[in-house]
């Protein structure tokens, strides 16, 4: 599903990814632990090409990321990403945040997309906040909307980049509980 | 000191309309028509070049930077003069005298304020954090969709004070084109002053008030618009 072959990446002189080789099969749950600055975020961000690598090959869902002909938007539609900083769209409600990609990328009708969105918002436990704006939600609630947003595209791969590190200790549990149900 | 306020009501129709309807449009009417035209065109130009300037692709970015920096380094009066003298050489079709002043005035103001608007647009686009762009791209949206649905709507809201500031400048700077002979409001005031000669203070005070009114109204409108748009997204700091 995800293959890294002899991947090397530098940020200027900093050799942040050194000879990375790994193979992640479908259905696997992988946790990457490590000290600060060890390249964990960089590694995940390479998977949907938010970062580019200088050497090596990355193959995701059979498509090579280094190949110019790869349609990166198609690939990214199959890879859900949850950010440390949530990155919700502040000018849209929670429901609109979740339905934007299904409508614009998968070309779904609005009612269909909203039905799916409500299903996932319920799954993460905030269906009642669907009409709220991100500024009206707590950190834990925002992160759960972000998770629903990632899931709504029904991706083949879900990536979580330190999803709880921007949260208060009380809210971490609610997000972790949601993530456990996804596995 | 003797005041001669009567010069204003006596020439009022001339100030407001120029020679219209017995001749071409002039006066405040022409100023307003010119302002509206320039505002509309420079807004469009500003968005186009602002997006080009913001682009990551150097083939879009460099021409935009060239245009913007060139104009920004030039006084608006110079731009007006250049257009007046250079346009007939560049576009031989426009050789007719009267309509030519009008065209070059428009081109000059649109070119000048288009560059200013482009920088306003770019600053507005850049004020939206990169995180949202990454989130949107990660869900499979194309770069164009990201600009259209995420960045532009929010950016435009942030840009409103600067956009309105530019519009106000346009209204005021239409006064400069009188030097190439366009018969707008400032020119009518100067003409009456040259004829009457004993009431410069009264005339120029009147002119200042006439420019102040629309600019102030635009300012108030901008504040109301900002308040109304901010009501939807409340941020607690």
């Amino acid at each position: 599903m995800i293959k890294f072959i002899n991947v090397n990446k530098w940020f200027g002189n900093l050799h942040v990814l050194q000879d990375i080789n790994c193979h992640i099969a479908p259905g696997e749950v992988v946790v990457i632990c490590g000290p600060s600055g060890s390249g964990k975020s960089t590694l995940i961000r390479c998977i949907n090409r938010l970062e580019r690598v200088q050497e090596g090959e990355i193959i995701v869902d059979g498509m090579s990321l280094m190949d110019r002909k790869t349609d990166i938007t198609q690939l990214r539609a199959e890879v859900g990403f949850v950010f440390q900083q949530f990155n919700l769209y502040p000018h849209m409600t929670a429901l609109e945040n979740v339905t934007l990609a299904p409508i614009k990328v998968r070309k779904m009708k609005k009612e269909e997309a909203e039905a799916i969105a409500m299903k996932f918002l319920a799954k993460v436990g905030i269906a009642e906040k669907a009409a709220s704006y991100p500024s009206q939600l707590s950190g834990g609630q925002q992160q759960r909307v972000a998770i629903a947003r990632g899931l709504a595209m029904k991706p083949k791969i879900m990536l979580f980049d330190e999803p709880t590190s921007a949260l208060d200790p009380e809210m971490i549990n609610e997000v972790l509980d949601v993530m456990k149900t996804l596995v | 000191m003797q005041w001669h306020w009567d010069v204003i009501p006596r020439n009022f129709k001339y100030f407001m309309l120029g020679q219209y309807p017995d001749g071409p449009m002039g006066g405040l009417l022409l100023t307003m028509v010119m302002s509206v035209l320039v505002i509309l065109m420079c807004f469009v130009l500003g968005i186009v070049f602002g997006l080009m300037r913001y682009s990551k692709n150097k083939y879009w970015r460099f021409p935009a930077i060239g245009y913007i920096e060139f104009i920004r380094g030039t006084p608006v009066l110079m731009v007006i003069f250049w257009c007046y003298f250079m346009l007939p050489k560049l576009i031989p079709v426009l050789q007719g005298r009267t309509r030519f002043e009008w065209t070059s005035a428009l081109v000059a103001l649109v070119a000048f304020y288009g560059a200013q608007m482009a920088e306003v647009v770019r600053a507005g686009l850049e004020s939206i954090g990169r995180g949202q762009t990454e989130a949107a791209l990660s869900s499979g949206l194309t770069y164009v969709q990201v600009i259209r649905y995420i960045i532009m709507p929010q950016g435009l809201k942030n840009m409103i004070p600067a956009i309105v500031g530019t519009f106000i400048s346009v209204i005021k700077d239409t006064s400069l084109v009188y030097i190439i002979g366009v018969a707008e409001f400032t020119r009518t005031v100067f003409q009456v002053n040259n004829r009457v000669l004993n009431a410069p203070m009264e005339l120029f005070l009147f002119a200042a008030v006439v420019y102040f009114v629309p600019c102030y109204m635009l300012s108030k409108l901008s504040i109301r618009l900002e308040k109304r748009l901010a009501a939807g997204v409340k941020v607690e700091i």
Side-chain angles (χ1 to χ4, degrees):
Chain A
M1 195 50 137
I2 306 177
K3 275 200 196 102
F4 278 73
I5 304 171
N6 295 329
V7 170
N8 278 288
K9 179 172 171 56
W10 288 264
F11 278 125
N13 283 330
L14 179 64
H15 194 179
V16 57
L17 295 178
Q18 304 174 14
D19 293 322
I20 308 286
N21 281 285
C22 74
H23 180 186
I24 302 175
E28 269 194 73
V29 176
V30 178
V31 176
I32 305 179
C33 303
S36 216
S38 51
K40 310 185 290 297
S41 288
T42 311
L43 185 67
I44 325 191
R45 286 161 64 91
C46 290
I47 298 179
N48 72 348
R49 221 170 73 178
L50 284 176
E51 304 283 351
R52 289 192 184 253
V53 299
Q54 283 91 353
E55 266 179 39
E57 178 80 49
I58 305 179
I59 303 186
V60 175
D61 193 22
M63 293 186 257
S64 163
L65 289 183
M66 326 304 289
D67 192 356
R68 273 174 181 276
K69 292 197 214 67
T70 307
D71 184 356
I72 193 67
T73 55
Q74 285 286 57
L75 194 149
R76 284 175 176 155
E78 298 298 336
V79 180
F81 204 111
V82 177
F83 293 83
Q84 183 177 352
Q85 303 294 345
F86 330 141
N87 289 336
L88 294 179
Y89 315 129
H91 61 306
M92 296 182 173
T93 62
L95 187 67
E96 287 164 350
N97 261 276
V98 180
T99 57
L100 179 71
I103 294 177
K104 301 295 173 192
V105 182
R106 298 246 195 255
K107 312 276 194 255
M108 275 188 207
K109 292 267 181 333
K110 189 160 172 244
E111 299 78 31
E112 198 190 335
E114 284 186 354
I116 296 184
M118 285 308 294
K119 190 178 91 175
F120 283 109
L121 284 171
K123 187 165 182 170
V124 300
I126 34 165
E128 70 278 7
K129 296 282 187 189
S132 305
Y133 285 91
S135 56
Q136 298 165 319
L137 300 174
S138 73
Q141 291 169 328
Q142 287 185 52
Q143 193 60 300
R144 287 188 279 160
V145 174
I147 296 177
R149 180 177 65 176
L151 292 172
M153 291 289 280
K154 307 230 180 101
K156 296 192 185 129
I157 303 171
M158 271 298 276
L159 301 172
F160 294 82
D161 181 5
E162 298 194 50
T164 56
S165 59
L167 296 175
D168 292 342
E170 305 93 59
M171 297 182 215
I172 293 181
N173 281 323
E174 61 187 56
V175 174
L176 290 179
D177 289 339
V178 167
M179 286 169 68
K180 280 186 224 161
T181 67
L182 301 175
V183 169
Chain B
M1 214 192 110
Q2 259 280 46
W3 291 96
H4 304 275
W5 294 103
D6 56 308
V7 71
I8 297 169
R10 251 190 300 135
N11 293 288
F12 198 72
K13 183 161 177 280
Y14 186 58
F15 290 139
M16 292 295 122
L17 301 174
Q19 293 173 342
Y20 192 82
D22 308 312
M25 243 199 305
L28 189 62
L29 178 64
L30 188 63
T31 295
M32 286 296 126
V33 167
M34 203 174 13
S35 301
V36 168
L37 283 175
V38 172
I39 284 174
L40 288 174
M41 290 195 272
C42 82
F43 190 58
V44 169
L45 206 70
I47 293 192
V48 167
F49 278 95
L51 283 171
M52 282 171 67
R53 178 73 180 79
Y54 180 68
S55 161
K56 293 200 195 74
N57 183 339
K58 66 174 185 245
Y59 296 110
W60 288 117
R61 215 172 56 234
F62 284 12
I65 294 180
Y67 162 62
I68 294 171
E69 294 303 319
F70 176 65
I71 297 274
R72 286 221 292 181
T74 313
V76 59
L77 216 52
M78 290 299 118
V79 177
I80 295 175
F81 270 132
W82 283 349
C83 286
Y84 185 59
F85 292 120
M86 288 203 328
L87 275 179
K89 306 221 165 35
L90 295 174
I91 311 176
V93 117
L94 309 165
Q95 295 291 3
R97 246 225 105 193
T98 331
R99 302 182 72 226
F100 179 63
E101 287 137 11
W102 167 246
T103 314
S104 56
L106 274 183
V107 169
L109 286 175
V110 170
F112 188 81
Y113 281 102
Q116 188 157 327
M117 191 64 86
E119 278 295 280
V120 167
V121 169
R122 175 180 72 99
L125 295 175
E126 285 183 356
S127 69
I128 309 300
R130 214 161 50 108
Q132 287 184 57
T133 310
E134 290 189 345
L137 289 173
S138 298
S139 47
L141 290 162
T142 64
Y143 189 59
V144 172
Q145 287 173 319
V146 173
I147 302 250
R148 196 170 146 204
Y149 297 114
I150 311 292
I151 305 200
M152 264 307 210
Q154 294 180 77
L156 277 173
K157 230 186 329 181
N158 291 346
M159 290 178 224
I160 288 176
I163 291 181
V164 173
T166 306
F167 290 173
I168 292 178
S169 293
V170 168
I171 295 180
K172 293 190 296 180
D173 277 1
T174 56
S175 61
L176 292 172
V177 302
Y178 93 100
I179 48 169
I180 56 171
V182 179
E184 46 69 65
F185 177 69
T186 301
R187 187 158 226 257
T188 61
V189 172
F190 271 81
Q191 282 176 333
V192 169
N193 184 47
N194 288 337
R195 190 164 39 85
V196 172
L197 287 174
N198 65 350
M201 273 275 269
E202 296 85 329
L203 283 169
F204 293 127
L205 270 172
F206 168 64
V209 168
V210 167
Y211 276 110
F212 179 75
V213 168
C215 296
Y216 184 64
M217 277 172 26
L218 258 183
S219 208
K220 291 293 268 225
L221 190 77
S222 156
I223 294 178
R224 256 213 292 161
L225 192 63
E226 288 173 61
K227 279 217 184 91
R228 189 131 56 97
L229 289 176
V233 185
K234 215 161 60 103
V235 178
E236 310 262 319
I237 300 185

